[in-house]
Amino acid sequence: LNGDAYGKGIYAATDLNYGKGFGRGLSCAFLCLAIPGHMSQSQTMKLSSRDDSFKHGPLRVYRTSEQVLPLFFTDSNSSAKLAECAWDIADLLKERALGQVKDEAEFRKGARVEALWQGAFWKAEVWHVHRDGTYDLKWQHPYHFWPAELRVSPDRLRRYDES
């Protein structure tokens, strides 16, 4: 979307719900990667001539379309899953174009661990690794009926070996 209320540029938002108000009733939007360049720190509430982008809450304004890479057309039902894919694409681009290698997670999906919970360690399995370095866990038998533990910090985990 092109606009000029906050300066002339390409308007975007980090929150799909924020953007719905500008989509003339559409319930979907493009999910994009963007290169902010030098982001405005100005109090003028506008993209300045010396900045590449402007940030105000979830609102983003990019000076040129070359800063924005559309990836997916999404809605609120698919946006979280597609955002994970977008982060993977960003990591791949950084690795291939810039030679930056993403740090590997300490534990991988399917790893058997012991998780600190209420002062004791309990057997669990990693069933999801989040980009922020946290883990979702499924408890192992005989605790398998317990609800999954979500977004567990790695400092609460240790490796578990049955041997």
Side-chain angles (χ1 to χ4, degrees), residues 6-155:
Y6 291 93
K8 188 174 180 185
I10 309 301
Y11 281 59
T14 57
D15 179 357
L16 184 64
N17 290 318
Y18 179 86
K20 280 184 182 178
F22 301 96
R24 296 187 179 141
L26 292 176
S27 60
C28 48
F30 281 107
L31 191 149
C32 305
L33 292 178
I35 300 172
H38 187 267
M39 190 172 283
S40 178
Q41 302 297 323
S42 169
Q43 302 293 35
T44 63
M45 299 299 292
K46 210 166 194 175
L47 180 64
S48 75
S49 61
R50 65 182 181 278
D51 294 318
D52 300 311
S53 63
F54 171 77
K55 172 182 169 182
H56 179 64
L59 172 71
R60 302 292 186 270
V61 181
Y62 301 97
R63 181 162 308 286
T64 68
S65 61
E66 287 84 6
Q67 293 173 261
V68 182
L69 175 64
L71 296 177
F72 308 109
F73 202 56
T74 188
D75 59 17
S76 56
N77 294 330
S78 304
S79 63
K81 185 75 173 166
L82 290 175
E84 285 286 326
C85 290
W87 282 113
D88 290 341
I89 292 168
D91 288 340
L92 177 68
L93 291 171
K94 288 177 191 173
E95 181 181 328
R96 298 287 169 94
L98 304 174
Q100 296 178 352
V101 179
K102 182 176 109 173
D103 291 336
E104 287 296 319
E106 188 173 344
F107 302 100
R108 293 186 177 189
K109 182 175 181 174
R112 292 179 178 263
V113 296
E114 290 184 317
L116 183 61
W117 186 72
Q118 294 190 352
F121 280 93
W122 306 88
K123 296 176 189 175
E125 179 181 328
V126 173
W127 64 276
H128 186 74
V129 179
H130 292 278
R131 300 192 59 74
D132 64 2
T134 61
Y135 302 89
D136 292 348
L137 305 177
K138 289 182 184 177
W139 299 106
Q140 294 298 295
H141 185 77
Y143 319 111
H144 59 282
F145 58 88
W146 292 356
E149 189 76 3
L150 306 177
R151 299 269 181 190
V152 177
S153 169
D155 61 347

